[in-house]
Amino acid sequence: MRDRSLIPARALRLSTALVSTPLALLGPLAAAPAAAQHATHEAAPNTATELPAVVIRPPVDAGGGAGGDAAVISGEQAAAATLFTSDSGALIGGVPGGAAWGAGGVSSLPAVNGMGADRVQVAINGMIFSPACPNEMNPPLSFTNPAMIATTKVYYGTAPVSVGGDYTGAKVDVSVAPARFTPGDQVQVSGRVSGFYRSNGNSSGVDATATASNADTSVTYTGGWARASDYQSGDGTTIKSTMYETQNHALSISKKIEDNLFTVQVGGQFMPSQGFVNQYMDLVENKSLFVNGRYEGAFDWGRLEATAFVNRIRHTMGFIAPDKTGDMPMDTRSTDLGTTVKATVGLAPDTLMRIGSEVFYNNLDDWWPPVQGSMMMGPDTFENINNGQRLRVGTYAEWEKELADKWTAVIGLRNDIVWMNTGDVQGYNAMMDGADAALFNAQSRARTDINFDASATVRYEPDAASLYELGLARKTRSPNLYESYAWSTSAMAMKMIGWFGDGNGYVGNLDLEPEAAHTVSFTASWHDAAQKTWHLKVSPYYSYVVDYIDADRCTLPACLKNLPGNPFVTDNFVYLQFANHDAWLYGVNIDGRLTLWDSDAFGQGALRGALNFVQGQRTDGVNLYHIMPVNGTLALDTALGNWTASLELQLVGAKVLVSEVRNELETSAYALLNFRTAYEWDMVRVDFGIENILDTEYDLPLGGANLVNYQVPSMMGSSAAWGYPVAGMGRSINTRVTVKF
């Protein structure tokens, strides 16, 4: 019988009390993105409508492109990206400093300014999904197709603390199926249906959105299906275990009653398969179901928002033939629940206060059924995580003030308390895992982290053509359940743990401390007064992370038995244990745009460019893992009547600063040339594009190790050969047709 009461009762009582506490008593306050909180919106036919909010003049654009603490990916940009990808995580590569860790075809992990995976927190309509797989094959962004996304806001490390807690790198806030209203009492129906095909990987799919609405009621469905086979690299090699099939759906019902908006959304995912070239296992089934309720209200004193959600995930790993074969099922069941309450209060015409409370709870079971006829994987069920529980209660407060005609300041404080615990475990049998299980079960596994965050932003806008912003922040993140509680040191079990795609094996650490990132950033933005001809933004930053959760070579007796030279080997996969180290990261993001021509005869043409640079290292001299090398883009965008086109050159430097602890692989520099064009008339739009026009052969800097294509003889028949990065996709001819109604 599994114990379902491991989280202390006092923690559960506290979480309930905080949700019901009067807003005036909630403490510490947080700085939220101003544009999202106090910009006014005019209702337009068949457009997303938000309730009135407190207005401070001049408004601070914390959520737009001008500020340094956030970047925005519009729904139009996400829809355009669907010509090349069905992976929502890949969209993050389009923002300054953004990148994606390679994983499955629709499951890459976002990274921002050198920090990736769990250091980037993702919220889908306010819902936060905890890791529900020891390889994180189902990250939050995999639960929505790119075409379903209305808006994505990426908040950087110095963002206001009201944006969220329990992250150190960035916060990604995704909006799916927002409420849309149309004038009058008569119901109007609108939507679009879109289908695509990509030649490389024989990928195809369909997306659809439909809305029925009037002035106070809106019902929206959005969803999509996509599939692909293994893709080919530039030299014609088939990159095995890169196939996938997925479908996601969401139905949203919204009702306006005077200045109040009520929304209920239900949805889910069915993913029957997804291959992982940089993991030993594949995803053979992933099912989820969520219910999410939201409230927004405008009052004389300001704005009130509240959410409540529950999400259930059922996940199974296995092998997808013929690229991988065998019988070793691994099952996961995860439940996430959460509530948020936040208020925006206008204290004066130039002063704003935000206060809020958040509660997020995750319950995780991860077990590996015995394999019939196997002496190693039986006769018992392997309990990897047994009734793992993680409860986080956050409160925040924030003060924003227009200090002078051209100056604005935002200061916030935040407290997050994290309780974690898990039940007893067992291995397949006493011979293999008995000692590890007994040691783990004998130790105290309950932990309580009391984390404090703070942020301060000063913004100066001397004229209509320039803006300067200085940001300071402390952000903390407690370890996830796998980082703390993965317990087995058997070679097979360790290689099943880890979302890094490096082929190494991992074991948890009960003594991990929360990591705390202290970040300073500066943004200078210049543009023409009308913001039509040119703009340039430069954003340098520096982060010092105390107790950065990294990994060390495992020196436990079992690890040395698995690989006697484990502490020193440099040309093989190794065994690692999660560990804290102080670390630093610094970099700069530069992006700009220049209009080259604008005339009735020749349309419009603009030159667009971006440059991203980041480096990171532990204070003991070890390079941080998966740091993107210097990279940039240079593009020519044109428009003439109903035609638009873009020719883009993507440049990536050589990856030579690699993590020595993980034996991370180096990759060479490369350049890719991409083209896309579209023509739109009436209700039909046709997109066409060529990705990697020159069919360049290259390796993905954040793609990890190819564990499938290259094999060597072993006791098990064959095993993955070390030293081969994952190659990127070769040329692909892509098309998409969209019909609106």
Side-chain angles (χ1 to χ4, degrees):
M1 181 70 67
R2 291 175 174 169
D3 183 4
R4 295 294 171 183
S5 58
L6 293 174
I7 294 294
R10 66 180 184 277
L12 294 173
R13 289 195 298 270
L14 178 59
S15 66
T16 304
L18 284 171
V19 172
S20 59
T21 299
L23 290 173
L25 301 180
L26 290 178
L29 242 124
Q37 296 293 338
H38 62 253
T40 58
H41 299 264
E42 295 184 5
N46 198 35
T47 58
T49 303
E50 296 188 15
L51 295 175
V54 178
V55 177
I56 294 179
R57 291 184 173 85
V60 179
D61 185 17
D69 56 13
V72 175
I73 304 171
S74 68
E76 291 76 11
Q77 291 171 312
T82 61
L83 183 64
F84 295 103
T85 183
S86 295
D87 180 11
S88 296
L91 300 180
I92 306 304
V95 305
W101 291 12
V106 293
S107 290
S108 65
L109 301 171
V112 177
N113 289 346
M115 296 193 190
D118 288 1
R119 294 182 177 90
V120 177
Q121 185 183 92
V122 177
I124 311 293
N125 284 348
M127 300 182 292
I128 294 178
F129 302 160
S130 303
C133 168
N135 297 156
E136 293 201 20
M137 291 182 173
N138 47 11
L141 284 171
S142 69
F143 290 93
T144 177
N145 295 2
M148 297 171 63
I149 295 175
T151 306
T152 300
K153 294 181 180 178
V154 180
Y155 299 100
Y156 293 92
T158 55
V161 293
S162 62
V163 167
D166 203 31
Y167 74 89
T168 50
K171 172 69 176 286
V172 177
D173 197 354
V174 176
S175 172
V176 174
R180 299 178 181 274
F181 301 98
T182 49
D185 295 330
Q186 186 174 357
V187 175
Q188 299 184 33
V189 178
S190 62
R192 60 173 174 78
V193 177
S194 178
F196 69 86
Y197 176 77
R198 308 183 193 112
S199 65
N200 198 331
N202 193 28
S203 176
S204 60
V206 62
D207 301 287
T209 296
T211 298
S213 62
N214 58 16
D216 60 9
T217 304
S218 174
V219 179
T220 297
Y221 163 81
T222 184
W225 167 86
R227 64 161 300 280
S229 303
D230 295 338
Y231 71 77
Q232 291 185 331
S233 65
D235 66 359
T237 300
T238 297
I239 307 302
K240 299 180 179 180
S241 295
T242 55
M243 79 296 285
Y244 61 83
E245 182 178 353
T246 183
Q247 54 179 293
N248 295 294
H249 306 276
L251 177 66
S252 182
I253 303 173
S254 298
K255 182 73 174 180
K256 279 199 302 184
I257 303 176
E258 296 181 343
D259 290 335
N260 302 284
L261 175 62
F262 301 86
T263 300
V264 175
Q265 188 175 67
V266 296
Q269 179 189 83
F270 175 64
M271 186 183 297
S273 63
Q274 184 177 189
F276 285 76
V277 65
N278 60 6
Q279 296 287 358
Y280 295 101
M281 305 287 287
D282 295 317
L283 182 155
V284 296
E285 187 175 71
N286 197 86
K287 296 183 292 186
S288 73
L289 178 66
F290 72 82
V291 179
N292 186 18
R294 302 193 302 275
Y295 165 77
E296 302 172 61
F299 302 89
D300 293 339
W301 50 265
R303 182 184 183 94
L304 178 65
E305 300 171 69
T307 66
F309 76 91
V310 58
N311 179 65
R312 180 83 160 178
I313 298 173
R314 183 67 170 83
H315 170 77
T316 301
M317 289 198 298
F319 303 105
I320 300 177
D323 297 343
K324 298 175 187 174
T325 58
D327 183 16
M328 185 183 167
M330 302 173 65
D331 292 296
T332 306
R333 180 172 52 242
S334 177
T335 301
D336 285 291
L337 304 97
T339 63
T340 65
V341 179
K342 57 183 177 181
T344 304
V345 183
L347 302 179
D350 62 354
T351 306
L352 194 68
M353 176 169 280
R354 302 180 187 92
I355 55 178
S357 174
E358 303 173 351
V359 179
F360 295 101
Y361 172 75
N362 172 245
N363 183 271
L364 176 70
D365 286 306
D366 192 309
W367 73 100
W368 310 346
V371 177
Q372 186 175 5
S374 173
M375 295 182 61
M376 294 178 60
M377 295 178 286
D380 301 320
T381 296
F382 189 104
E383 297 280 0
N384 191 34
I385 302 288
N386 177 17
N387 189 25
Q389 299 185 45
R390 194 177 192 271
L391 171 66
R392 175 167 65 89
V393 177
T395 56
Y396 61 83
E398 166 195 306
W399 175 82
E400 177 178 324
K401 185 176 178 62
E402 183 185 334
L403 300 175
D405 188 35
K406 300 175 181 179
W407 292 84
T408 303
V410 181
I411 300 174
L413 297 173
R414 181 184 185 96
N415 167 239
D416 287 277
I417 304 175
V418 180
W419 291 272
M420 291 173 55
N421 208 341
T422 189
D424 289 348
V425 298
Q426 68 177 20
Y428 284 120
N429 53 68
M431 181 180 68
M432 284 189 60
D433 301 296
D436 281 346
L439 177 62
F440 182 84
N441 293 338
Q443 298 181 77
S444 174
R445 301 178 295 278
R447 61 177 296 157
T448 301
D449 296 334
I450 302 176
N451 302 328
F452 291 95
D453 291 357
S455 67
T457 301
V458 178
R459 192 168 301 174
Y460 175 57
E461 194 168 3
D463 51 50
S466 58
L467 181 147
Y468 305 93
E469 178 181 295
L470 176 66
L472 301 169
R474 168 192 164 94
K475 300 290 177 70
T476 55
R477 178 184 77 91
S478 290
N480 66 37
L481 293 174
Y482 289 106
E483 289 170 328
S484 292
Y485 297 138
W487 56 272
S488 177
T489 57
S490 73
M492 182 277 295
M494 291 184 72
K495 288 187 176 182
M496 299 301 107
I497 305 297
W499 41 96
F500 310 102
D502 55 9
N504 299 318
Y506 289 81
V507 66
N509 186 342
L510 290 171
D511 297 323
L512 285 178
E513 296 291 334
E515 59 182 22
H518 304 81
T519 303
V520 57
S521 67
F522 177 75
T523 295
S525 178
W526 303 277
H527 50 79
D528 64 290
Q531 299 191 41
K532 292 183 177 180
T533 304
W534 66 275
H535 81 260
L536 176 66
K537 185 166 72 172
V538 181
S539 301
Y541 57 89
Y542 175 85
S543 291
Y544 187 86
V545 187
V546 177
D547 289 323
Y548 183 93
I549 300 174
D550 196 42
D552 288 338
R553 295 289 176 92
C554 179
T555 57
L556 298 172
C559 293
L560 298 179
K561 182 179 179 181
N562 295 336
L563 183 64
N566 190 61
F568 314 109
V569 67
T570 61
D571 59 353
N572 204 346
F573 303 113
V574 293
Y575 299 96
L576 305 165
Q577 184 172 31
F578 293 109
N580 292 114
H581 286 274
D582 290 356
W584 51 260
L585 301 97
Y586 70 87
V588 62
N589 302 316
I590 303 172
D591 65 281
R593 186 177 184 274
L594 174 64
T595 298
L596 300 178
W597 69 85
D598 187 354
S599 69
D600 293 337
F602 299 101
Q604 299 82 39
L607 189 66
R608 168 173 50 88
L611 178 69
N612 305 307
F613 168 80
V614 61
Q615 287 193 2
Q617 194 176 86
R618 295 179 353 190
T619 54
D620 62 359
V622 174
N623 294 320
L624 297 184
Y625 180 67
H626 262 0
I627 298 296
M628 186 71 180
V630 61
N631 63 94
T633 56
L634 188 63
L636 177 64
D637 301 325
T638 63
L640 177 61
N642 294 334
W643 283 100
T644 59
S646 180
L647 183 65
E648 182 179 80
L649 178 65
Q650 180 184 357
L651 302 166
V652 179
K655 184 175 179 61
V656 295
L657 298 177
V658 294
S659 172
E660 303 92 330
V661 168
R662 303 176 194 243
N663 287 345
E664 185 179 10
L665 301 174
E666 297 184 359
T667 58
S668 300
Y670 62 90
L672 302 178
L673 189 64
N674 305 312
F675 171 75
R676 74 179 308 272
T677 186
Y679 185 79
E680 186 169 1
W681 72 99
D682 293 332
M683 309 301 285
V684 178
R685 176 186 172 100
V686 176
D687 289 84
F688 173 82
I690 306 176
E691 184 177 9
N692 191 359
I693 294 174
L694 303 179
D695 212 13
T696 301
E697 172 71 8
Y698 67 101
D699 293 321
L700 297 168
L702 306 186
N706 189 322
L707 306 179
V708 187
N709 278 71
Y710 309 98
Q711 300 285 308
V712 294
S714 69
M715 294 180 59
M716 304 300 294
S718 66
S719 59
W722 181 87
Y724 296 92
V726 176
M729 184 179 292
R731 182 189 300 117
S732 183
I733 299 174
N734 308 328
T735 59
R736 177 179 280 270
V737 177
T738 303
V739 179
K740 300 178 182 179
F741 58 89

